[in-house]
């Protein structure tokens, strides 16, 4: 990991978040080659990504939040618990708000389904992008337990699950009658919010050290909520045992990357 020492952390955060968007675009690009993809393979990949994100939520976000709370003289559980709860409630509340206030009551059929699909995927990419920025921001601030390896591993985990997400947006749009170009454009557009959210998370962290334990835990809670509400239910659709194996494998890979390389 020595090659990262010469690169400013903010550029690492931007590059990692752009990589996450790139994987979304690559997943959406499947629309040029297939009308549909093997759902079992996509579900296994989502299970693997869920495992990576669960491990990353602890090793790269929640554990550093607890350690920094102790360093700053706070009760070690207050801000981590409050931030984790706030992050989870944010994702759940935003999802409910999306369902009620998109103004789609008059829309029916494939058009309504397409708008909901693109908007929901875009919405849950925001906390994922923020998590990348927060992880790199915590390292830039010298937070105990935060490493470049952990931040990069977190980014890889998010990027992995972005690939099937891009496909899950583009392919249904194509099925519902969109041109291949329009389906691809909408698919990759759902991931472009991640670099923006990553930069926001990074600068919030580096500007407000006192609030960093809360920010780290908030990102962890948001990620766990996304995993629980989006990734695991989708991963278990075809075969819950394969999804479970993928999840365990993803957790182990993330843990090894964070502990051994950190």
């Amino acid at each position: 990991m020595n090659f990262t020492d010469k690169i400013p952390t903010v550029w690492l955060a931007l590059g990692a978040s752009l990589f996450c968007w790139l994987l979304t675009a690559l997943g959406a690009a499947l629309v040029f080659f297939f009308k549909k993809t093997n759902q079992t393979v996509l579900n296994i990949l989502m299970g693997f990504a869920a495992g990576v994100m669960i491990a990353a939520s602890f090793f790269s976000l929640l554990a550093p939040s607890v350690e920094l709370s102790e360093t700053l003289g706070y009760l070690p559980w207050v801000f981590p618990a409050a931030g984790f709860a706030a992050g989870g409630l944010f994702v759940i509340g935003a999802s409910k708000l999306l369902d009620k206030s998109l103004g789609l009551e008059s829309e029916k059929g494939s058009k309504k389904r397409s708008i909901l699909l693109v908007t929901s995927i875009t919405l849950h990419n925001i906390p994922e992008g923020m998590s990348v920025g927060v992880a790199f921001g915590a390292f830039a601030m010298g937070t105990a337990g935060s490493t470049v390896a952990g931040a990069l591993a977190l980014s890889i985990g998010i990027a992995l699950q972005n690939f099937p997400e891009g496909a899950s947006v583009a392919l249904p749009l194509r099925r519902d009658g969109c041109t291949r170009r329009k389906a691809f454009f909408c698919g990759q557009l759902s991931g472009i919010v991640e670099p923006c959210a990553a930069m926001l998370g990074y600068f919030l962290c580096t500007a407000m050290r006192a609030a960093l334990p809360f920010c780290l835990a908030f990102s962890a809670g948001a990620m766990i909520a996304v995993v629980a509400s989006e990734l695991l239910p989708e991963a278990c659709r075809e075969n819950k045992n394969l999804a479970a194996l993928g999840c365990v494998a993803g957790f182990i890979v993330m843990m090894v990357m964070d502990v051994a390389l950190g």
Side-chain angles (χ1 to χ4, degrees):
M1 303 303 291
N2 291 336
F3 74 95
T4 61
D5 295 342
K6 299 180 180 179
I7 304 175
T9 310
V10 65
W11 293 114
L12 289 175
L14 179 60
S17 60
L18 287 173
F19 176 69
C20 293
W21 165 76
L22 176 62
L23 266 290
T24 304
L26 288 176
L30 291 178
V31 76
F32 292 113
F33 305 99
F34 309 101
K35 289 186 177 180
K36 62 180 181 178
T37 55
N38 189 309
Q39 190 64 39
T40 300
V41 173
L42 292 180
N43 289 345
I44 293 173
L45 183 57
M46 281 194 170
F48 182 88
V52 170
M53 292 172 68
I54 292 170
S57 295
F58 176 75
F59 290 105
S60 296
L61 296 170
L62 196 56
S65 172
V66 174
E67 291 184 33
L68 183 58
S69 291
E70 292 180 315
T71 301
L72 293 175
Y74 305 148
L75 285 174
W77 57 269
V78 173
F79 281 103
F84 193 89
L89 290 174
F90 170 78
V91 171
I92 295 170
S95 179
K96 287 186 173 294
L97 184 64
L98 173 69
D99 293 339
K100 293 182 179 180
S101 62
L102 270 181
L104 297 176
E105 291 82 2
S106 61
E107 300 289 353
K108 295 182 179 180
S110 63
K111 183 177 180 180
K112 180 177 181 178
R113 182 170 61 248
S114 298
I115 295 173
L116 285 170
L117 180 62
V118 174
T119 307
S120 61
I121 294 292
T122 302
L123 176 69
H124 101 252
N125 280 339
I126 294 175
E128 291 178 5
M130 288 192 70
S131 299
V132 172
V134 166
F136 280 100
F139 169 74
M141 295 297 291
T143 304
S146 297
T147 64
V148 171
L152 289 175
L154 169 62
S155 304
I156 291 171
I158 290 175
L160 282 174
Q161 61 94 25
N162 279 357
F163 182 85
E165 279 184 5
S168 71
V169 173
L171 293 172
L173 290 178
R174 174 61 179 164
R175 180 194 60 206
D176 290 339
C178 290
T179 64
R180 293 182 189 274
R181 287 186 179 182
K182 184 176 181 181
F184 168 75
F185 178 78
C186 292
Q188 64 81 31
L189 192 64
S190 68
I192 200 64
V193 297
E194 290 199 9
C196 302
M199 290 297 94
L200 176 62
Y202 179 88
F203 287 115
L204 283 175
C205 278
T206 54
M208 299 183 296
R209 178 177 173 81
L212 187 52
F214 182 89
C215 293
L216 287 166
F218 181 94
S219 296
M223 284 185 62
I224 290 297
V226 169
V227 168
S229 63
E230 301 286 344
L231 292 187
L232 287 180
E234 181 66 24
C236 293
R237 178 179 297 181
E238 295 290 325
N239 188 316
K240 64 180 181 181
N241 292 325
L242 288 177
L245 288 174
C247 186
V248 170
F251 188 98
I252 293 172
V253 168
M254 175 63 203
M255 180 179 64
V256 170
M257 290 180 67
D258 193 279
V259 176
L261 300 180

